[in-house]
Structure formats: structure tokens, C-alpha cells
Amino acid sequence: MLRLFERRPPTAPAAHIEVAHAGEVFRVALKRLSTSRRLTLRVRAATRDVLLTMPSRSSLKSAREFAERHAGWIGARLARLPRLVAFAPAAATPLRGVDHLIVHRPHERGAAWTELGADGPLICVTGEARHVARRVADFLKREARKDLEAAVARHAKRLGVPPRRVALRDTASRWGSCSSTGRLNFSWRLILAPPEILDYLAAHEVAHTLHMNHSPAFWKLTRRLFPDAERAEAWLKVHGAGLYRFGAREE
Ligand SMILES: [Zn+2]
């Protein structure tokens, strides 16, 4: 999961090709890599897209032939991705690792809140039906900000560094990052994960304010703030992509 936190140099936007199979057309993004030795196809769960990486010297023709030869595999992998869950009444979404049923309460006051229903926890939202999805997303982002700000402040205090501003993102490539201005960016989707995962990411990014790398010194500092970093990384590796099933994707 280290990959998710690496600060990569900016790359040019990837070209793409389209391949057809069994009446479907798949868009395949192309990425040339000087370090790659062969053509590789990947179906990414978080972004639900297809990526073909190729050595810088490979031809577009060979990439297309490779993708066409594996079009059946692409279709099967895409079909096997977990179903998307919209933020709609009667749908369930995790919040701090616990499933919550979404309930529309058009006639009540307030915007959104949680309560314990007869069958388990609920997220209740008011307003018009067409605004339910946005209100649920806004509610989750507010909760994410609250938890992330508290966790960042706590870890910063332990390290004796000034607290950092928190910004929320919905990028699929990384859960957290820190900007050159010292602001810490996080995916709002961390609020869907168990609380310790959000806490770990906050510790990880706060540790980066002292070490802008993944050196042994960085990991030592991260483990001082969050001892079981390996377990959190392992959780993200297994379940991270699943957090992108919920609600609409934004960039
Ligand atoms: Zn990192």
C-alpha cells in the first residue's frame, strides 16, 4: 500500500484505445513506462477502469493487439467488480466501519444525523428526495473532516509540530498526501473505514511533515504514533478499493 502514498512525478495524460468484445466496448488507458519490460493489463477496482502499461518503445499496434486478445478477460474482470451502491433510501453504507441504513425523513428538521433504529444504525436525511444522495455525501464528508482534524491535531501534538490544515479529496490513487504548503489531503472515504484506519492515515501524513519520504526514520516515527501500521496497510490493501463502491465518484 506504500504505492498509494508515494509522491510521483507528474505524468502526461495517458492516451487510450477502445476494444470491442461480445457487443461491449471497453476503454483501455495506455501508460508508457521506461521501467516496464512487457505489456501488462490491469482492471482497477477503485476507478473501475482498465490500464495497459507498456515499455516506452512498444508500438501502439502491439498494445492494441494485446488488449484485443485479452478483451474477454477484461469483460469478465469488469463484470466481477462489486456492485456500486448509490446513496439512496434503503441502501446501506458503512460509516466508521459499521453499516448504516439510509433513511429519508422529508418532514423532519435538520439536515442529516445518525440514530439507532430497531434493525441497526441509520443515517437519516431530510429535504427533497432528489437531494438525498448529495445530503448523505455532505454528511459523510463533514464527519470525515471532524475525525481527521481531531486525529491530525492529536498526532501533531504528540510530535510537537504545529497542527496542519486538512483538505478532503476523492482521488483513487492515494488515501492521503501532504502539499508543499503543509496542508494534509485525505480521501473523505476514510470515514467509511473502521476508525483505526482513518487514525493510521492521519498518523502517516503527520509523520510526513517531518520526513517527506518512506525511510526507516519515517516508519519509526509513524509507528510511534500508530504502532500497528502494518495491519492498517494490510486492511487498506484488502478493503480499500471496496470503499469506492459507495456514492458517486468525484475528482
Ligand atoms: Zn507516505
Side-chain angles (χ1 to χ4, degrees):
M1 192 76 335
L2 198 63
R3 184 168 51 81
L4 284 181
F5 308 106
E6 271 161 16
R7 278 137 191 84
R8 279 173 236 148
T11 47
H16 78 273
I17 55 174
E18 280 174 353
V19 293
H21 177 80
E24 277 189 285
V25 176
F26 308 121
R27 189 189 151 99
V28 178
L30 300 178
K31 192 173 172 188
R32 289 182 186 275
L33 278 180
S34 54
T35 50
S36 90
R37 304 214 172 280
R38 57 197 175 89
L39 300 169
T40 310
L41 263 176
R42 210 148 48 99
V43 171
R44 297 182 292 193
T47 41
R48 307 178 90 84
D49 62 359
V50 189
L51 179 69
L52 194 162
T53 51
M54 54 201 283
S56 0
R57 288 199 316 269
S58 291
S59 70
L60 197 60
K61 185 166 169 279
S62 67
R64 176 174 295 282
E65 281 169 2
F66 182 70
E68 277 168 358
R69 205 157 59 235
H70 294 93
W73 177 86
I74 294 171
R77 290 300 296 258
L78 284 171
R80 252 176 36 204
L81 290 179
R83 203 169 43 86
L84 290 176
V85 178
F87 290 146
T93 180
L95 166 61
R96 299 188 181 92
V98 177
D99 274 349
H100 283 62
L101 196 67
I102 297 169
V103 178
H104 186 205
R105 299 263 179 85
H107 305 299
E108 290 187 34
R109 282 164 175 273
W113 63 92
T114 57
E115 63 178 53
L116 190 59
D119 295 320
L122 312 174
I123 294 176
C124 306
V125 286
T126 61
E128 291 178 47
R130 64 194 172 99
H131 294 145
V132 166
R134 186 176 47 78
R135 287 194 164 210
V136 172
D138 288 348
F139 172 72
L140 292 172
K141 287 175 195 172
R142 278 198 302 277
E143 297 297 301
R145 177 176 291 281
K146 208 162 63 186
D147 286 14
L148 283 163
E149 281 176 349
V152 163
R154 183 162 36 80
H155 291 305
K157 193 174 171 194
R158 268 195 77 186
L159 291 190
V161 297
R164 302 296 178 131
R165 286 208 303 125
V166 165
L168 299 180
R169 297 275 182 273
D170 193 17
T171 50
S173 56
R174 49 179 77 167
W175 296 108
S177 65
C178 54
S179 74
S180 53
T181 59
R183 194 184 56 201
L184 303 184
N185 302 315
F186 295 96
S187 166
W188 67 264
R189 293 176 184 278
L190 288 169
I191 196 66
L192 307 176
E196 64 272 20
I197 303 300
L198 178 144
D199 193 54
Y200 161 67
L201 258 302
H204 184 115
E205 294 306 327
V206 169
H208 271 317
T209 65
L210 293 181
H211 297 282
M212 289 293 278
N213 50 42
H214 290 121
S215 61
F218 162 81
W219 283 112
K220 196 174 163 200
L221 194 63
T222 301
R223 284 192 197 96
R224 227 177 88 199
L225 298 173
F226 191 95
D228 215 350
E230 276 78 13
R231 213 162 121 188
E233 289 281 347
W235 190 95
L236 283 166
K237 199 166 184 177
V238 175
H239 304 287
L243 302 183
Y244 286 90
R245 290 172 57 208
F246 301 96
R249 279 267 299 135
E250 314 147 29
E251 267 308 336

